[in-house]
Amino acid sequence: MPRPFRDRLLERARGAGARIVFPEGHDARIREAAERLRAMGMGDVTLLEQPTPDAPRPQLVELLRRRKPDRFPDDRAATAALEDPLLYGACLVGLGAADVMVGGADRPTGDVIRAALLAVGMAPGMGSVSGAFYMAR
């Protein structure tokens, strides 16, 4: 008999040892979820709150300026944008300092997608963006 989807997903996640960033660290639900992930051995969990941390800010500024020079023409514009924890967390993924960002607890899905597109972008050959939600008991 096949194992349930949730069990297979959790097993894969435990084995990945992912660096997970939660940009909405001010939210009690997110703090609780982070603690549960830590207790389950799901990876290295980082909670962001405002203001966002200074390190590795210079590398994140450079990432945004390189990826979107029209939107971030100077360091000041990129630094100001990084005050948004969603964009900051997405940039950590784009930089390779995190493997996964989980966002959208108190922000619209569109904000999460925009941050990911700015900081990471789409895989080569992809022409559209899609999302998924998994709900389980």
Side-chain angles (χ1 to χ4, degrees), residues 68-90:
K68 300 291 181 182
D70 292 344
R71 183 150 182 183
F72 305 107
D74 55 37
D75 286 1
R76 195 171 106 197
T79 298
L82 288 168
E83 289 303 312
D84 178 358
L86 277 180
L87 184 58
Y88 190 97

Side-chain angles (χ1 to χ4, degrees), residues 16-117:
R19 296 164 298 166
I20 307 163
V21 62
F22 285 93
E24 298 155 314
H26 62 278
D27 188 305
R29 298 169 299 166
I30 298 304
R31 289 192 304 273
E32 180 183 333
E35 279 308 310
R36 288 177 58 198
L37 289 178
R38 285 184 184 117
M40 294 170 68
M42 299 300 263
D44 180 27
V45 178
T46 300
L47 293 169
L48 297 179
E49 297 186 41
Q50 278 199 284
T52 53
D54 287 335
R57 192 173 296 267
Q59 295 93 334
L60 302 181
V61 166
E62 194 275 325
L63 172 75
L64 287 176
R65 293 201 57 208
R66 183 181 71 246
R67 287 195 42 75
K68 300 291 181 182
D70 292 344
R71 183 150 182 183
F72 305 107
D74 55 37
D75 286 1
R76 195 171 106 197
T79 298
L82 288 168
E83 289 303 312
D84 178 358
L86 277 180
L87 184 58
Y88 190 97
C91 283
L92 290 175
V93 174
L95 189 64
D99 301 305
V100 178
M101 180 184 84
V102 180
D106 69 357
R107 299 277 296 274
T109 301
D111 288 357
V112 178
I113 292 171
R114 275 185 287 282
L117 289 173

